[in-house]
Amino acid sequence: MKTRNYALALATLLLFACGPNEGRENATTEKERPALGTQTEEQRQQADVLAKDTLNAVQDEVVKKPTPGASLDFKPFFENFRETITQQQAQEFNQWIDPERGLYLIETPGAVPQFTHVTDIRNFKRANAGARPFFSIGETIKDCKLEEVKALPTITCQGEDNNFTRQGCFVADAAAFRKNEANKYAGLPAQEEQKVYQTQLLVSKTVLHTKSGFRFHFGQINGQWRVLFIDLSVPCSA
């Protein structure tokens, strides 16, 4: 009898001992759940930051990473580029077009700018010049002795050969073009408008040929100079 009573008392003692511990364990688990949820949110935010950093790194890689043997000297590149136009060498010209981003040609045949996207220059016809081929501009830009300046000449519209504050062929940083918002008024689909904007951000050099008013916009992609935009709009024609 004493043994049975002792066993019963021991079982009761163990029951009371386990009960509070189990309650504490459950209570701790419930309290920890918000913490786990908070950690998940923090992990999501960290993943977003990492994704943005990765995107920025990729953009830097595209723009800045040089290809072995690539020339970063702009003037020799531009001279070769201009010769492919004056000599109407379509295949050679297409090598200056980035195959992924293509080339946007800008014209103003009416009240709003017109953007034409090509990857083969032979497919482009000039809206401002009776559907003539692109290489019809070759004779116009035959004379182009490139001069590097801090800022491009501004438009004056004072005469046929005096539409700019200075006359000649100039190259400068493309900061102004990167901020250009002409794409917003071209009636482009939203996706294409965004693509134009993203491509503009890659432009680093603008060449202005004052006699024609043509502007050529270039950027470095994987260390190679590429022509990203050509503006064939005629200044002071409105």
Side-chain angles (χ1 to χ4, degrees):
M1 178 67 70
K2 290 182 178 180
T3 302
R4 188 177 63 180
N5 290 340
Y6 176 77
L8 182 61
L10 180 61
T12 303
L13 179 62
L14 290 174
L15 179 63
F16 279 104
C18 292
N21 286 340
E22 184 178 359
R24 284 196 297 271
E25 182 179 352
N26 290 338
T28 302
T29 303
E30 292 298 325
K31 290 179 180 178
E32 286 178 351
R33 285 178 185 171
L36 291 174
T38 302
Q39 290 176 357
T40 302
E41 179 63 21
E42 289 176 355
Q43 290 173 354
R44 186 188 66 78
Q45 293 177 356
Q46 290 174 357
D48 290 342
V49 171
L50 179 60
K52 291 178 181 178
D53 289 344
T54 302
L55 177 60
N56 291 335
V58 169
Q59 290 176 334
D60 288 343
E61 185 79 0
V62 168
V63 177
K64 297 179 181 179
K65 182 180 179 181
T67 299
S71 173
L72 302 183
D73 193 343
F74 182 78
K75 285 188 177 182
F77 155 75
F78 180 76
E79 185 57 29
N80 290 333
F81 169 82
R82 189 181 63 82
E83 285 183 2
T84 64
I85 298 177
T86 57
Q87 297 176 17
Q88 303 188 27
Q89 298 171 331
Q91 185 173 351
E92 288 77 5
F93 181 93
N94 285 340
Q95 294 178 0
W96 309 123
I97 301 176
D98 182 70
E100 180 181 347
R101 293 163 182 81
L103 165 65
Y104 287 97
L105 295 114
I106 308 172
E107 300 175 280
T108 51
V112 297
Q114 175 178 302
F115 284 72
T116 303
H117 183 258
V118 300
T119 54
D120 186 339
I121 197 60
R122 290 170 292 194
N123 296 331
F124 176 75
K125 303 297 180 183
R126 295 175 61 191
N128 283 347
R132 296 173 67 191
F134 169 77
F135 290 110
S136 61
I137 74 170
E139 187 64 28
T140 306
I141 66 167
K142 192 173 183 179
D143 181 18
C144 183
K145 185 177 181 181
L146 200 62
E147 179 183 349
E148 188 168 359
V149 293
K150 290 185 177 180
L152 296 175
T154 56
I155 295 177
T156 62
C157 294
Q158 294 181 356
E160 183 177 352
D161 296 322
N162 191 28
N163 285 329
F164 293 87
T165 52
R166 292 181 62 190
Q167 310 307 311
C169 197
F170 304 95
V171 58
D173 180 83
F177 181 73
R178 289 193 294 270
K179 298 177 183 178
N180 188 285
E181 296 185 340
N183 60 308
K184 293 184 178 181
Y185 308 101
L188 298 171
Q191 187 175 0
E192 189 68 16
E193 182 181 318
Q194 181 66 16
K195 185 179 177 182
V196 171
Y197 169 73
Q198 292 173 343
T199 305
Q200 277 184 231
L201 296 180
L202 298 176
V203 174
S204 57
K205 296 282 188 183
T206 293
V207 171
L208 167 64
H209 183 261
T210 62
K211 186 174 183 180
S212 63
F214 298 158
R215 290 175 169 85
F216 304 84
H217 306 283
F218 304 91
Q220 288 184 32
I221 309 297
N222 291 326
Q224 297 281 359
W225 284 110
R226 301 290 191 181
V227 57
L228 299 174
F229 295 85
I230 298 178
D231 189 343
L232 300 177
S233 301
V234 180
C236 309
S237 59

